[in-house]
Amino acid sequence: MALPYFVEGEFVLQTDMIDPERHDNIDLYIPKSGGPFPAVIFQCGGPLPEDADWNDPRDWQVYRSYGSLLAANGIVAATVKLPLYEGAHYPRAAKGLAQAVDFVRADERVDGDRVGLWFWCAGGPLSSNWLRSSPPWLRVLAFTYPLLGSPEGVSLPDGFEPAEALAEAEHLPPLLLGRAGLEAPGVARTVETFVAAAEKHQAPLQIIDVATGFHGYDIVNHADKKIGNPPPDAVRPDFATSLEESRAAVHKAVDFVAKALA
C-alpha cells in the first residue's frame, strides 16, 4: 500500500541532512558550533491514525529537511510527536506541545528568550493558546498551509479557533502565513476567516502567497510531477513553475523566522 504523499514525498529544496537527537517524543536538530541558539518548535499537523506505522512526523523527509535547514541557519529545530489522533485530542495535544516547549527552552544549548513556533496543516488550531497569550520569549508564530479553524461540518473543541484567539490577544509576536493559492476550499475558508480577524485586530501578520501552491506545497513527488496534494479535479500548474515558486516560499519563510529570532 502506497504511503500518503506527505510521508513519502520529497522536500522541495536540496538540503544537507543532519541526524537529530531523539529525546522521547522530541527530535532536536542542533547547529554545529556556537550557541546558545534560538529555537523553533514544529507542530506538524494531524490528526493522524493512531495505529498507522507512518504516524510519526519526525521521520518524514519534509520535517527532517526543515530541521536540517534551520540548524544550518543557526537555529535549533525541534520536531514533536503529539498524541493527536482525532479532533477531540486537541486539548491533550496542546498540553504536550507546551511540555515540549518547556523542554526545548530548558536545553542549555538554547537561548530560552528567543523561541518560535511553526505550525503546518491541522496543527494550526494548536496555535490558539499562544495567540491568546504570547509570552515575551515567543518571538514568532509561523504557519504553512494551515487549517485555522473548524472546517465546514466539523467543530473543534472549545478554545481552538485561532481567529477567536486573535480577538483576545493583548500582545502578539510577528505572525507569518504561507498561503496556498490552490488550497482545498474547506481549509481556505478557515484561512480567510483568520486573515480577516488579523486585519480587524491589527495583528502583525505577513503573508507569503504561493499562487500555484496546493496544500503541501513544500512536498514534491517527482514521479507524478506534482507539488503538494491537488484535489482530484484540480488543474495542475506547470511543474517547473510550481517548484520554483514553492522553493522561493520556503526560503522566504525561513528568512522571516530567522530575522524574528535574531
Side-chain angles (χ1 to χ4, degrees):
M1 184 176 179
L3 293 172
Y5 82 98
F6 48 82
V7 175
E8 64 179 354
E10 299 177 23
F11 193 46
V12 292
L13 297 179
Q14 294 293 321
T15 306
D16 292 331
M17 305 293 283
I18 68 171
D19 292 326
E21 299 176 1
R22 180 151 292 186
H23 303 268
D24 193 19
N25 68 320
I26 301 169
D27 279 10
L28 294 179
Y29 292 80
I30 309 294
K32 289 184 178 180
S33 61
F37 305 99
V40 175
I41 296 92
F42 298 160
Q43 177 40 45
C44 310
L48 299 171
E50 186 171 5
D51 58 352
D53 59 6
W54 47 261
N55 71 359
D56 190 343
R58 295 176 300 169
D59 296 330
W60 304 352
Q61 201 240 34
V62 60
Y63 296 118
R64 287 180 56 84
S65 297
Y66 269 113
S68 298
L69 183 59
L70 261 63
N73 280 270
I75 300 168
V76 172
T79 54
V80 186
K81 182 182 181 183
L82 295 177
L84 182 58
Y85 305 121
E86 57 184 69
H89 293 164
Y90 275 100
R92 76 178 191 185
K95 291 180 181 178
L97 178 57
Q99 291 169 350
V101 171
D102 288 343
F103 175 86
V104 173
R105 291 187 68 227
D107 192 291
E108 63 182 7
R109 296 162 294 185
V110 169
D111 179 348
D113 290 328
R114 292 188 293 153
V115 175
L117 295 173
W118 197 333
F119 302 87
W120 282 260
C121 195
L126 290 171
S127 67
S128 298
N129 289 341
W130 303 99
L131 290 165
R132 196 174 288 113
S133 179
S134 299
W137 48 260
L138 183 58
R139 301 296 184 90
V140 63
L141 289 169
F143 304 86
T144 296
Y145 48 84
L147 176 74
L148 288 172
S150 297
E152 186 174 352
V154 178
S155 295
L156 291 169
D158 290 344
F160 288 90
E161 295 282 350
E164 294 178 4
L166 281 177
E168 302 173 35
E170 296 182 0
H171 165 75
L172 287 167
L175 310 178
L176 177 68
L177 169 61
R179 182 167 59 182
L182 303 174
E183 181 63 270
V187 176
R189 280 191 288 270
T190 72
V191 174
E192 291 169 4
T193 298
F194 181 83
V195 171
E199 292 174 350
K200 178 180 178 180
H201 300 292
Q202 298 182 322
L205 176 63
Q206 178 75 32
I207 299 176
I208 299 172
D209 276 315
V210 187
T212 62
F214 292 107
H215 193 84
Y217 61 72
D218 48 10
I219 302 171
V220 60
N221 184 335
H222 288 289
D224 289 341
K225 288 291 184 180
K226 64 183 180 182
I227 308 290
N229 187 35
D233 58 347
V235 177
R236 295 180 185 175
D238 175 74
F239 178 79
T241 300
S242 181
L243 181 60
E244 181 179 355
E245 187 179 25
S246 296
R247 286 172 169 168
V250 172
H251 281 302
K252 290 177 183 177
V254 171
D255 288 348
F256 183 95
V257 169
K259 289 177 181 177
L261 294 171

